[in-house]
Amino acid sequence: MLSYIGKRLLLMIPTLLGVLTVVFVIIQFVPGGPVDQLVAEMRAGSQGEGARSGSAGRRDLDAKQIEEIKKLYGFDKPPLTRYFEMLGNFARFDLGKSFMHNKDVWQLIKEKLPVSISLGLWTFLLAYMVSIPLGIAKAVREGSRFDTVTTVVALLGFALPGFALGVLLIVLFAGGTFLDWFPLRGLTSENWASLSWPARIVDYFWHLTLPLLCYAIGSFAVVTFLTKNTFIEEIRKQYVLVARAKGLSERSVLYKHVFRNALIPLVTGLPAAFVAAFFAGSLLIETLFSLDGLGLLSYESIVRRDYPVVLGTLYLFTLIGLVVKLIADLLYVVVDPRVQFGAAGK
């Protein structure tokens, strides 16, 4: 097992290098980089002054400014030099400094994390707490009216885009055309710091209700149908028939024999689902409810060509994804001891 873990950790290095190299190379050919954008803004701001001083003088001034901007952003160095400097910094977990925000990328991520943690954690818990019992109930009642109705409802929720549901909820419950029950901005009220702790908790979930529904609505169907299908597959196996032939009750068969085997795909998928809920932020939902999270940060960094944020977050999320994948594989051993990664031939 230790040998397997060591090999997987070593394989993370070329994977990270490959991802970072491909993105770094692409960035070199993307038009409208940070230097071009800043120069365009400066030219637009000094258009009147440039017209009075003459175009030749403006071109000389632009050339000097461009060199200074390139030096400020580090683009005065050859691409290969910048590439190896980036790898050296990332090896020390130095993600660089944002061009647009003039802050460390680490600091930016930490500022956006409260929104992502709030939405990700509660989306994950809500989806699993509702979907697993619902999937088990659907498997036990396969083909019944309950199974049909819940399938239709789950598919409708899966087909409905989160941002479209957000617009509908705002119109109905957030001061749109009908009711004004829920707030429309942020995760807390302006006077949150002056509230008592019970009032803070109520205020927090009051703000979280509508965006959380928009995030979670698409997760219900996936987890529900995965639970249902895995339970049905296990229920039809031979060992279940043997357990029933021995006179065991259906409840005992379901929860003592079927439950553990059927939950293997769900348990091993928990780490990936947990991390995905944190970092798969939705730009449209965050914009609708005025939530400044990682989704909005990622979008702005790409549009504004904020390459330190793009590369830094890519490096961090890729590393987290690789570690989570390793944890998911190791969970197979926990839930099914027959799996031995360190055995011969593995």
Side-chain angles (χ1 to χ4, degrees):
M1 177 61 71
L2 291 177
S3 174
Y4 173 78
I5 295 174
K7 290 177 182 178
R8 288 291 299 273
L9 291 175
L10 289 176
L11 285 173
M12 291 181 186
I13 298 175
T15 304
L16 281 171
L17 286 175
V19 171
L20 291 173
T21 301
V22 169
V23 176
F24 184 86
V25 171
I26 292 174
I27 283 175
Q28 308 310 308
F29 298 98
V30 174
V35 175
D36 296 334
Q37 290 193 7
L38 186 55
V39 168
E41 292 175 4
M42 294 174 65
R43 282 177 175 170
S46 60
Q47 207 167 22
E49 183 181 350
R52 291 192 298 270
S53 61
S55 59
R58 190 175 68 229
R59 283 197 299 269
D60 291 341
L61 182 63
D62 287 345
K64 294 176 183 178
Q65 289 176 332
I66 290 172
E67 291 302 319
E68 291 177 359
I69 295 170
K70 285 183 176 179
K71 186 175 181 180
L72 176 65
Y73 288 161
F75 287 97
D76 58 326
K77 301 174 184 178
L80 197 60
T81 302
R82 288 188 282 114
Y83 172 73
F84 283 110
E85 285 183 354
M86 177 193 71
L87 294 183
N89 291 334
F90 284 178
R92 300 191 301 271
F93 287 95
D94 178 5
L95 302 184
K97 196 170 187 178
S98 168
F99 296 154
M100 183 172 62
H101 299 276
N102 196 30
K103 292 181 179 179
D104 290 339
V105 176
W106 272 115
Q107 182 64 32
L108 276 175
I109 293 175
K110 285 189 289 186
E111 289 176 0
K112 312 300 181 183
L113 270 181
V115 172
S116 298
I117 289 175
S118 295
L119 293 172
L121 176 63
W122 295 114
T123 298
F124 171 81
L125 291 177
L126 185 62
Y128 271 78
M129 288 172 63
V130 172
S131 298
I132 291 179
L134 179 60
I136 296 173
K138 286 172 65 64
V140 173
R141 298 172 177 84
E142 185 187 11
S144 66
R145 172 180 275 184
F146 172 81
D147 184 27
T148 303
V149 172
T150 53
T151 296
V152 172
V153 173
L155 289 177
L156 286 175
F158 182 74
L160 181 65
F163 70 90
L165 177 62
V167 173
L168 178 63
L169 292 175
I170 288 172
V171 171
L172 293 177
F173 303 113
T177 307
F178 297 94
L179 304 173
D180 189 9
W181 288 353
F182 295 95
L184 193 56
R185 181 177 298 274
L187 286 179
T188 56
S189 300
E190 293 181 359
N191 64 334
W192 189 81
S194 63
L195 299 175
S196 62
W197 275 110
R200 288 183 182 184
I201 295 172
V202 172
D203 181 77
Y204 170 72
F205 282 106
W206 181 46
H207 282 76
L208 192 63
T209 300
L210 297 187
L212 181 59
L213 285 175
C214 297
Y215 269 90
I217 193 70
S219 304
F220 288 133
V222 176
V223 181
T224 298
F225 290 127
L226 177 60
T227 304
K228 174 189 173 182
N229 293 335
T230 52
F231 267 79
I232 289 175
E233 183 181 352
E234 291 297 323
I235 288 172
R236 293 173 178 172
K237 289 185 176 179
Q238 187 68 33
Y239 73 88
V240 176
L241 297 177
V242 173
R244 286 172 176 167
K246 290 180 179 180
L248 296 178
S249 65
E250 282 296 316
R251 185 177 183 85
S252 178
V253 170
L254 182 63
Y255 290 102
K256 289 186 178 180
H257 295 272
V258 175
F259 192 77
R260 178 176 180 178
N261 293 329
L263 283 184
I264 289 177
L266 293 171
V267 172
T268 54
L270 279 176
F274 187 70
V275 173
F278 273 81
F279 298 114
S282 171
L283 167 66
L284 294 175
I285 295 176
E286 288 182 8
T287 303
L288 274 176
F289 294 98
S290 300
L291 302 173
D292 191 9
L294 290 174
L296 191 58
L297 174 66
S298 301
Y299 173 76
E300 289 179 346
S301 63
I302 293 172
V303 171
R304 297 294 301 272
R305 306 295 193 268
D306 198 349
Y307 296 144
V309 177
V310 173
L311 289 167
T313 53
L314 175 69
Y315 168 73
L316 180 63
F317 296 163
T318 303
L319 182 60
I320 291 173
L322 292 172
V323 172
V324 165
K325 178 61 178 174
L326 175 60
I327 294 173
D329 290 344
L330 295 178
L331 280 177
Y332 273 106
V333 180
V334 176
V335 298
D336 189 354
R338 294 172 298 177
V339 177
Q340 295 294 329
F341 289 115
K346 297 288 184 184

